[in-house]
Amino acid sequence: MKKSKRVVVVGSSNTDMIVNVERIPAPGETILGGEFSMAAGGKGANQAVAVARIGGDASLVARVGDDTFGNQAIENFRKDGIDVSQVKIDESEASGVALINVAASGENSISVASGANSKLSENDVEAAAAAIESAGAVLTQLETPLETVERLVRLSKEKGVPLILNPAPARALSDELLKDVAVITPNESEAEILTGIKVIDVSTAKQAAASLREKGVGVVIITLGAKGAYVSCEDHEQLIEGFPVEPIDTTAAGDTFNGAFASEMAKGELSILDMIRFANAAAAMSVTRAGAQPSIPRRGEVERFLKSGKIEEMR
Ligand code: ADP
């Protein structure tokens, strides 16, 4: 089947309900005076939004509940131009929700009800087989059941479509799974959980990357926050420096990085080093803006930033 430049993103969709409060309440305690805000989130949804804004062609495979949050999420995906034909409405579970308390000190406490995300199944992956087969790349994370991720990894391998695994939230993974992953993109703490090697600098990133490559992963990209990203693959072994910016809110930096990288990988026009440089630029822009999905830049903005080194005000 002819490959397109489309990225199929398989993952979670949540609604984040955030209360900014003086301090995190202790068990049994009620604290008045908080300020409430609500935002679309979930790593799958954030990364699909990043692909749509930066690459242009995104399909999302996900589950939401038959409720206001689910319908709102689908509406937002449509507005971003995401193909939602594989977003299923689950009759038995509520939409995924994260209840987030943020204290004045910046500390937070988060309870997540995965709801419909926990029902994203191997069958859902199989139902998306035709879309996966014709895609330029597949992108997934670990906020949905592991069996679903395993099925997706095997299916992508069978169809010859490169799969990018953003192993977040952190958990250990089997060698059986890792051997079929084309690209893995852990941050420092995820790399440590995967390899047992504490990643604090370029030399420890190199060791952790080598350990993942030994397990058969084709390309290892360890994101290192403001420092940028370390890549290890057949032809390269190096740090690709991040862009110096004034960070305001690093939420969704990793999601923006992954969405931008996956878009470029599906297009296949740049070298791997330039794909990572582009992803560093998009992610750097996202940390200069508040929020998760609202902070994700559009392609034109990233291209102008790469040319001028200046970030435009958000419209
Ligand atoms: P995560 O958000 O998943 O924890 P990182 O903190 O490693 O992941 O950030 C992902 C990417 O976002 C980095 O590789 C880098 O490109 C960019 N980034 C993150 N923080 C900054 C920052 N303070 N300045 C510039 N770029 C950043």
Side-chain angles (χ1 to χ4, degrees):
M1 198 182 282
K2 192 177 175 306
K3 303 283 184 216
S4 68
K5 292 173 181 167
R6 188 158 27 82
V7 178
V8 174
V9 183
V10 181
S12 58
S13 166
N14 283 329
T15 300
D16 295 344
M17 309 188 74
I18 307 150
V19 178
N20 285 88
V21 72
E22 190 47 39
R23 61 188 169 76
I24 309 285
E29 188 181 18
T30 302
I31 298 180
L32 295 181
E35 214 171 279
F36 175 70
S37 58
M38 210 162 84
K43 289 179 197 301
N46 291 347
Q47 294 184 15
V49 168
V51 170
R53 291 195 193 153
I54 295 166
D57 205 353
S59 291
L60 178 62
V61 180
R63 270 187 189 253
V64 297
D66 188 8
D67 49 32
T68 321
F69 297 139
N71 290 322
Q72 182 68 52
I74 291 177
E75 184 59 33
N76 289 340
F77 298 145
R78 285 213 177 94
K79 276 191 198 142
D80 262 307
I82 296 168
D83 162 31
V84 294
S85 57
Q86 303 290 335
V87 177
K88 300 221 171 90
I89 297 185
D90 192 290
E91 305 291 337
S92 63
E93 294 277 347
S95 293
V97 166
L99 294 181
I100 308 173
N101 277 307
V102 183
S105 64
E107 240 185 339
N108 62 27
S109 75
I110 306 178
S111 332
V112 177
S114 295
N117 294 305
S118 67
K119 292 288 169 75
L120 192 73
S121 66
E122 296 175 64
N123 284 344
D124 294 336
V125 168
E126 265 144 43
I132 290 168
E133 184 163 13
S134 65
V138 171
L139 175 60
T140 196
Q141 321 75 27
L142 299 174
E143 274 185 344
T144 52
L146 193 60
E147 308 85 72
T148 310
V149 176
E150 287 167 347
R151 183 72 197 105
L152 178 68
V153 169
R154 278 200 310 275
L155 186 79
S156 304
K157 178 85 176 189
E158 275 160 35
K159 306 284 186 199
V161 181
L163 175 125
I164 302 152
L165 173 63
N166 175 223
R171 59 171 295 165
L173 293 171
S174 69
D175 293 359
E176 184 57 29
L177 177 88
L178 290 170
K179 75 174 183 4
D180 290 335
V181 169
V183 183
I184 197 164
T185 57
N187 65 13
E188 287 148 308
S189 57
E190 289 147 9
E192 179 178 352
I193 303 263
L194 287 169
T195 64
I197 296 162
K198 192 167 175 57
V199 176
I200 46 166
D201 54 17
V202 168
S203 131
T204 46
K206 180 175 180 159
Q207 288 167 37
S211 145
L212 288 165
R213 293 256 294 133
E214 271 163 29
K215 294 181 199 277
V217 180
V219 179
V220 179
I221 302 171
I222 302 180
T223 62
L224 301 169
K227 292 197 280 292
Y230 185 86
V231 62
S232 170
C233 60
E234 202 173 324
D235 300 327
H236 303 282
E237 187 77 54
Q238 68 180 86
L239 173 75
I240 293 137
E241 283 188 14
F243 289 79
V245 292
E246 295 278 334
I248 289 187
D249 176 0
T250 59
T251 319
D255 292 336
T256 306
F257 183 96
N258 279 281
F261 177 81
S263 303
E264 287 312 313
M265 182 144 189
K267 290 204 169 94
E269 288 161 8
L270 300 178
S271 69
I272 183 104
L273 299 184
D274 282 341
M275 288 178 198
I276 296 170
R277 186 167 171 268
F278 181 82
N280 273 338
M285 291 187 79
S286 79
V287 310
T288 67
R289 298 167 173 180
Q293 291 178 16
S295 74
I296 299 171
R298 286 168 203 289
R299 178 171 201 90
E301 295 175 295
V302 184
E303 285 174 346
R304 290 192 291 277
F305 173 51
L306 276 167
K307 271 203 193 112
S308 70
K310 286 195 211 85
I311 294 175
E312 298 159 11
E313 290 294 313
M314 200 165 31
R315 273 149 297 156

